[in-house]
Amino acid sequence: PPRDSLLLGLPAAYWRDLAGYDPVAVQRKSTLPLLVLQGGRDYQVTPAADFARWQAAFDGDERAELVLFPPLNHLFIAGEGPPGPGDYLRAGTVDAAVGDHIAGWIGRVSAP
């Protein structure tokens, strides 16, 4: 089919592969440091289901750092009220606390 008729322009093989991908299970096999950031207003990847799954899988794991940013959405942009698709129509920038946290984490895990 024409590329513009595909869901987000991606072929069915991509979506089939993605449906079988379990990022928590993949990361459990890794020995690398892990940083998981979550917006508290994310309605697509939710704190109650998705972030909680990461927390349960990595509770007590010293190589993992999981951080919830309650006022931020899926794009780490602050908002108010019930989250929804309209959040993506509002102009905004990634909250500085997210960038600061990422930079600090990189410094901590890469320090000798």
Side-chain angles (χ1 to χ4, degrees):
R3 186 166 179 82
D4 62 354
S5 71
L6 302 173
L7 181 60
L8 299 177
L10 299 166
Y14 170 83
W15 296 110
R16 281 192 300 272
D17 184 61
L18 185 62
Y21 180 70
D22 182 350
V24 174
V26 169
Q27 188 58 39
R28 291 291 299 156
K29 295 175 186 175
S30 174
T31 60
L32 298 172
L34 170 67
L35 175 63
V36 176
L37 306 177
Q38 173 75 47
R41 295 186 68 253
D42 191 338
Y43 74 96
Q44 291 179 279
V45 181
T46 67
D50 302 294
F51 190 65
R53 185 165 175 250
W54 285 95
Q55 288 175 309
F58 291 95
D59 184 39
D61 189 327
E62 292 183 10
R63 69 191 170 99
E65 185 172 332
L66 289 80
V67 183
L68 180 66
F69 294 91
L72 306 182
N73 67 15
H74 188 76
L75 303 175
F76 296 112
I77 297 172
E80 296 177 359
D87 286 352
Y88 303 125
L89 302 176
R90 292 185 203 96
T93 58
V94 172
D95 192 282
V98 173
D100 291 345
H101 200 94
I102 293 169
W105 180 82
I106 291 170
R108 288 188 302 279
V109 300
S110 61

